[in-house]
Amino acid sequence: MIKNYLKIAWRNLIRKKGFALINIFGLAVGMAASVLIMVWIHFEFSVDSSYEKSDRIYAVWRTNVNQENVLSWDYTPTPYAPALKEQYPEVEAVTHVTEWDPMVLAVGEKSFYEQVSFVDPGFFEMFSFQVMEGDPIEALKSPDNIVLTKSVAKKLFGEDSPIGKSVKVESQLDFEVKAVIEDLPQNTDFRFTAFLPFKKMEVMGWAGDFWGNNNCRTFAMLAPGTDLTTFNEKFKDFSLRNADIKNTSDFLFPISYLHLKSEFENGKSVGGRIDLIRMFGLVGIVILLIACVNFVNLSTAQSEKRAKEVGIRKVSGADRSMLIAQFLAESVLISVAAYVLALLMITLTFPGFNQLIGKELSLPYNQPYFWFFSLGYVLLTGSLAGAYPAFLLSSFRPAMVLKSHMSFTKTWFKPREALVVFQFTIVAVLIASTWIIRNQMQFVQTRDFGLNTENLIYHQMTGSLKTNFSALRGEVEALPGVISISSTFSPFTEQYSDTNMMKWQGKDDAFMPTIQRMGADAHVVRTAGLELIAGRDIDVYTNPADSSSVLINETALGFMGFENPIGEIIKDGDAEYHVIGVVKDFIIDSPFGKPGGILIFGPQIEQNFIHIRLSEADLPETIAQLEAIFKKFNPGSPFGYTFADEVHARKFADQQQVKSLTTVFSVLAILISCLGLFGLAAFIAEQRSKEISVRKVLGASVKGLVLLLSGEFTKLVLIAMLIGVPITWYAMSEWLAGFDYRIELDWKVFFGTALLALLIAFLTVSSQAIKAAMVNPAKTLKSE
């Protein structure tokens, strides 16, 4: 019987090749899109959750309540980890993880900037990265060892084994290679290429024991069977008991949640990347549903032609379950053919998809789970797409369908029209959402950030640059392509330090705003492109007393309440700084938020970077001249400069990804919907061919016939717009509410969406309407 079902299904597909191709291609596009999204979602859920002991590994988070402000963060002081391990027997292992700027690793004449982290042996006890040579746990117990990843070991030592050989770090510290691990996989948020013992930081005096300096992240692994809720209840006053830090609670957060749910409000996880995943998971389901709608519409549209087949089968003894099985077999056959085509589409488009999501994923064709999933996916899709047509067709009664003419009961609800409305409602939502996301991105990217990142480069103070900076500065300033140079504490595109412990005259002790700290030696206003609105710039070379001076921004001036800020004193711990200038607000952190309070101190704060403002003329030549100067004063280290505007652009990566994915899937939804509309219009034009011919004989014009046939679908699209607009308005209002700096929703977007959707539908339908209207009536009516 199954063989018979498949044979009849195949014959029906061959008989109606055009409709079959539309069904298969539309379903294939929907399947390919949804499978790609599922592959991406599977990857996202695997990030830092695939270790052998993932269910027992946690990140330390802390929450501070300051009046109405609640701030959660995951950085801790150096003494935090050992105290945690000592005071709680449930804690099996702990590790510090530092996030430093890239360091120079050198072997002989070879030198490279690499992302290095200082970690404890507990790091490799927790995280099961693949070991190639040596023992990384034992290696990190000595302060003079280093663990390399495979790619770094190959760059430094070629094909030779690096074990036992020496690597120089930052041109001054020698480490012995004791272990090599595989490069960290794609599904981890750690991006380190080399690991140094945290003990080295302690030996060098870089770690410190001050509980107010949050300089590293802490991870803990609990013993098997430990209940997280019970432990967090015991752990919440850890900072208060150890360092008398008031209004602060401590808690462990599962590492498997970090990538997905690390956005906190009022001390609670409220989402994060999981929101993006949910959104596009829903988009994947919706696109597949749109493709299934095409199948349902085209199948039910042909129901009258297959009604007599149903009648004859029932008269011949077939019961309803046999007929349902036959029609489901047809839909599953179409689903199988569509999935084969979808796999081809996935293979061809996968490199582009990787580029779109910014990852290097691999196709899971070699994984058994993928093929088990595929089998279930094909059967489920075929069943969903074919269920309604199967039950509809199998419900026909022989006495009715075997008459010379079959009539259908007219009702106010027409499923086929409702499904077309559903399709174009989704199309309207996606078009309008893409438009709004694009406008928001453009709005934020073109806002005044208060600093100029164009032609601004920065370089770390690596090797001997700190000791040679004065001489280097003089030669760099003499270059014709250089406008200005400044040494700074941090890049102007990133926040490195903040505090809520500063004091000034008239400050309420209960008021503890978070203030971002920066530092510079001279000409910072000119180099960064800031706007000075009061006082003067820092310049320790002209005014040595500026080493204890500070610039404040407008926001800081506002909450500090200075009427005349110049000369006011601000205390940061034991240090005192006098205000010499006020600059206009500028953004160094999230480009989507409001600027916070920022203070730029004189060079009492450590200087870690060199910023250079370049002129637009002869950039390549100036870069080459700078490289020669840097190599002269910092031999053995590469010239590793970074353009500030490139770093700034990366801050838009997540939202740019939302925009790109929404655009792609909107186009796919439009394509699939148009395929279905095209097939439906072709069928209706064929069904009404005699009516069209009679109208032409009676004098109807081609234009009138086209408008007649297109009008029915235009009405459905208008209804879809009326439904889609409020849905989009609500969804985009919620999305925009997450930005401090955002656009207002504009009715023109929705009006434009309606016009575009109507135009797309009209062009799709009119092609078939024109074709039907141009047919010679004599051909259609000759049998009459």
Side-chain angles (χ1 to χ4, degrees), residues 410-445:
K410 292 186 177 180
T411 63
W412 67 272
F413 178 75
K414 298 178 180 178
R416 196 183 310 151
E417 293 184 355
L419 291 174
V420 171
V421 169
F422 168 77
Q423 279 185 316
F424 273 86
T425 298
I426 299 303
V427 168
V429 170
L430 287 174
I431 291 175
S433 298
T434 302
W435 199 331
I436 291 168
I437 290 170
R438 174 186 168 277
N439 287 351
Q440 169 67 6
M441 288 289 294
Q442 188 175 12
F443 180 69
V444 174
Q445 286 175 319

Side-chain angles (χ1 to χ4, degrees), residues 234-308:
K234 294 168 56 178
F235 179 55
K236 64 182 181 181
D237 61 348
F238 181 76
S239 291
L240 177 64
R241 286 188 289 104
N242 284 273
D244 196 30
I245 301 176
K246 298 179 176 60
N247 304 321
T248 297
S249 59
D250 306 75
F251 61 96
L252 297 187
F253 191 64
I255 191 171
S256 57
Y257 290 0
L258 272 183
H259 181 71
L260 302 174
K261 303 176 182 179
S262 56
E263 184 177 314
F264 283 79
E265 287 181 10
N266 297 319
K268 302 291 183 182
S269 171
V270 295
R273 195 162 179 82
I274 188 67
D275 299 323
L276 178 66
I277 292 169
R278 286 171 180 157
M279 180 173 74
F280 284 104
L282 179 61
V283 168
I285 294 171
V286 166
I287 287 179
L288 184 60
L289 283 177
I290 291 174
C292 291
V293 164
N294 285 352
F295 183 92
V296 172
N297 272 343
L298 292 177
S299 297
T300 55
Q302 299 177 73
S303 59
E304 185 176 351
K305 293 194 173 184
R306 301 199 62 181
K308 291 185 179 180

Side-chain angles (χ1 to χ4, degrees), residues 57-368:
I57 303 174
Y58 301 89
V60 172
W61 278 72
R62 308 162 83 190
T63 295
N64 176 265
V65 180
N66 176 22
Q67 294 182 335
E68 296 181 358
N69 297 318
V70 181
L71 176 66
S72 296
W73 73 97
D74 60 344
Y75 277 80
T76 61
T78 297
Y80 199 102
L84 174 60
K85 179 74 166 62
E86 180 182 343
Q87 297 174 24
Y88 295 92
E90 303 97 323
V91 177
E92 190 174 293
V94 294
T95 184
H96 302 89
V97 176
T98 61
E99 297 181 338
W100 290 58
D101 296 299
M103 293 184 173
V104 178
L105 271 58
V107 173
E109 297 298 318
K110 298 178 181 177
S111 61
F112 306 94
Y113 279 99
E114 299 295 340
Q115 196 67 53
V116 177
S117 179
F118 289 86
V119 298
D120 299 297
F123 183 85
F124 287 104
E125 292 181 39
M126 298 182 197
F127 304 109
S128 49
F129 297 122
Q130 186 176 346
V131 179
M132 297 185 67
E133 293 184 79
D135 185 343
I137 297 175
E138 286 297 318
L140 294 175
K141 292 179 180 179
S142 170
D144 297 318
N145 295 335
I146 186 171
V147 178
L148 302 178
T149 54
K150 177 182 175 181
S151 59
V152 174
K154 189 171 183 179
K155 282 197 293 185
L156 292 173
F157 298 98
E159 299 301 328
D160 297 335
S161 173
I163 302 299
K165 296 178 181 176
S166 179
V167 173
K168 189 174 286 291
V169 178
E170 291 293 287
S171 303
Q172 53 185 324
L173 300 174
D174 290 307
F175 293 87
E176 183 181 351
V177 180
K178 284 292 188 179
V180 178
I181 65 170
E182 276 285 358
D183 291 346
L184 302 195
Q186 283 281 312
N187 63 338
T188 178
D189 281 337
F190 296 124
R191 286 290 171 261
F192 309 125
T193 56
F195 301 87
L196 295 173
F198 196 82
K199 279 189 176 182
K200 189 66 174 181
M201 287 188 66
E202 295 172 336
V203 170
M204 298 294 293
W206 297 345
D209 57 1
F210 177 47
W211 278 80
N213 183 19
N214 297 314
N215 60 353
C216 59
R217 300 170 74 190
T218 295
F219 292 87
M221 184 168 68
L222 298 182
T226 304
D227 180 69
L228 178 63
T229 304
T230 304
F231 181 85
N232 276 339
E233 187 63 30
K234 294 168 56 178
F235 179 55
K236 64 182 181 181
D237 61 348
F238 181 76
S239 291
L240 177 64
R241 286 188 289 104
N242 284 273
D244 196 30
I245 301 176
K246 298 179 176 60
N247 304 321
T248 297
S249 59
D250 306 75
F251 61 96
L252 297 187
F253 191 64
I255 191 171
S256 57
Y257 290 0
L258 272 183
H259 181 71
L260 302 174
K261 303 176 182 179
S262 56
E263 184 177 314
F264 283 79
E265 287 181 10
N266 297 319
K268 302 291 183 182
S269 171
V270 295
R273 195 162 179 82
I274 188 67
D275 299 323
L276 178 66
I277 292 169
R278 286 171 180 157
M279 180 173 74
F280 284 104
L282 179 61
V283 168
I285 294 171
V286 166
I287 287 179
L288 184 60
L289 283 177
I290 291 174
C292 291
V293 164
N294 285 352
F295 183 92
V296 172
N297 272 343
L298 292 177
S299 297
T300 55
Q302 299 177 73
S303 59
E304 185 176 351
K305 293 194 173 184
R306 301 199 62 181
K308 291 185 179 180
E309 175 193 339
V310 172
I312 292 172
R313 286 184 175 277
K314 282 193 172 183
V315 169
S316 301
D319 59 25
R320 190 177 184 190
S321 63
M322 295 172 65
L323 291 169
I324 290 174
Q326 178 195 327
F327 292 124
L328 285 178
E330 289 185 23
S331 64
V332 169
L333 182 62
I334 288 176
S335 181
V336 169
Y339 195 65
V340 171
L341 181 57
L343 290 178
L344 177 61
M345 292 178 178
I346 291 168
T347 303
L348 294 175
T349 60
F350 203 68
F353 182 73
N354 275 339
Q355 188 175 2
L356 187 68
I357 63 173
K359 300 289 182 183
E360 288 298 326
L361 307 187
S362 56
L363 287 169
Y365 293 164
N366 61 337
Q367 301 293 331

Side-chain angles (χ1 to χ4, degrees), residues 441-723:
M441 288 289 294
Q442 188 175 12
F443 180 69
V444 174
Q445 286 175 319
T446 56
R447 71 183 288 193
D448 181 10
F449 289 95
L451 56 85
N452 181 10
T453 58
E454 294 292 326
N455 300 322
L456 176 64
I457 66 171
Y458 62 86
H459 191 291
Q460 281 183 252
M461 287 270 205
T462 55
S464 56
L465 287 180
K466 287 188 179 181
T467 55
N468 293 330
F469 179 69
S470 180
L472 178 140
R473 177 175 173 272
E475 291 199 18
V476 169
E477 281 188 320
L479 294 178
V482 171
I483 296 174
S484 64
I485 176 174
S486 300
S487 67
T488 62
F489 166 68
S490 60
F492 273 100
T493 52
E494 297 178 52
Q495 176 187 338
Y496 271 32
S497 176
D498 61 45
T499 181
N500 60 2
M501 302 299 290
M502 289 187 189
K503 297 180 180 179
W504 55 87
Q505 185 68 34
K507 177 181 179 291
D508 182 352
D509 289 340
F511 179 56
M512 301 175 67
T514 298
I515 300 174
Q516 298 174 2
R517 285 186 287 208
M518 304 184 73
D521 64 340
H523 311 310
V524 62
V525 171
R526 188 180 185 191
T527 304
L530 306 179
E531 182 179 336
L532 190 67
I533 58 178
R536 62 175 178 84
D537 196 358
I538 293 173
D539 187 349
V540 294
Y541 305 106
T542 305
N543 304 289
D546 279 0
S547 60
S548 60
S549 64
V550 64
L551 297 174
I552 65 176
N553 71 335
E554 291 174 293
T555 297
L557 175 63
F559 60 65
M560 288 179 174
F562 298 143
E563 290 186 10
N564 182 15
I566 307 303
E568 292 284 355
I569 302 297
I570 298 174
K571 295 182 179 180
D572 185 12
D574 295 331
E576 290 188 357
Y577 298 88
H578 58 280
V579 178
I580 63 167
V582 180
V583 296
K584 186 178 178 181
D585 280 339
F586 60 98
I587 304 291
I588 60 172
D589 199 10
S590 170
F592 301 96
K594 296 177 181 177
I598 303 173
L599 270 63
I600 306 174
F601 297 98
Q604 281 191 20
I605 290 184
E606 184 179 9
Q607 306 298 284
N608 300 311
F609 291 87
I610 301 169
H611 280 77
I612 304 172
R613 166 73 58 190
L614 307 175
S615 65
E616 293 186 8
D618 299 323
L619 269 177
E621 182 180 348
T622 304
I623 293 292
Q625 292 170 340
L626 287 171
E627 182 175 11
I629 293 173
F630 272 76
K631 285 188 174 180
K632 173 183 174 181
F633 290 102
N634 193 27
S637 296
F639 180 50
Y641 66 93
T642 302
F643 275 97
D645 56 352
E646 293 177 357
V647 177
H648 179 72
R650 288 198 288 270
K651 295 180 180 180
F652 297 92
D654 283 350
Q655 301 306 326
Q656 191 69 43
Q657 189 179 76
V658 171
K659 173 188 167 185
S660 300
L661 288 170
T662 307
T663 302
V664 169
F665 293 123
S666 296
V667 171
L668 291 179
I670 292 169
L671 172 64
I672 297 170
S673 299
C674 288
L675 279 173
L677 206 58
F678 180 85
L680 204 55
F683 179 81
I684 290 175
E686 179 186 336
Q687 192 180 43
R688 298 176 65 179
S689 58
K690 290 185 178 179
E691 175 195 342
I692 293 169
S693 296
V694 170
R695 287 180 179 274
K696 283 195 74 174
V697 169
L698 296 176
S701 65
V702 172
K703 178 182 176 182
L705 290 171
V706 170
L707 291 175
L708 173 69
L709 293 174
S710 303
E712 180 181 343
F713 294 101
T714 302
K715 176 185 69 177
L716 298 179
V717 174
L718 281 173
I719 294 172
M721 294 303 105
L722 293 175
I723 298 172

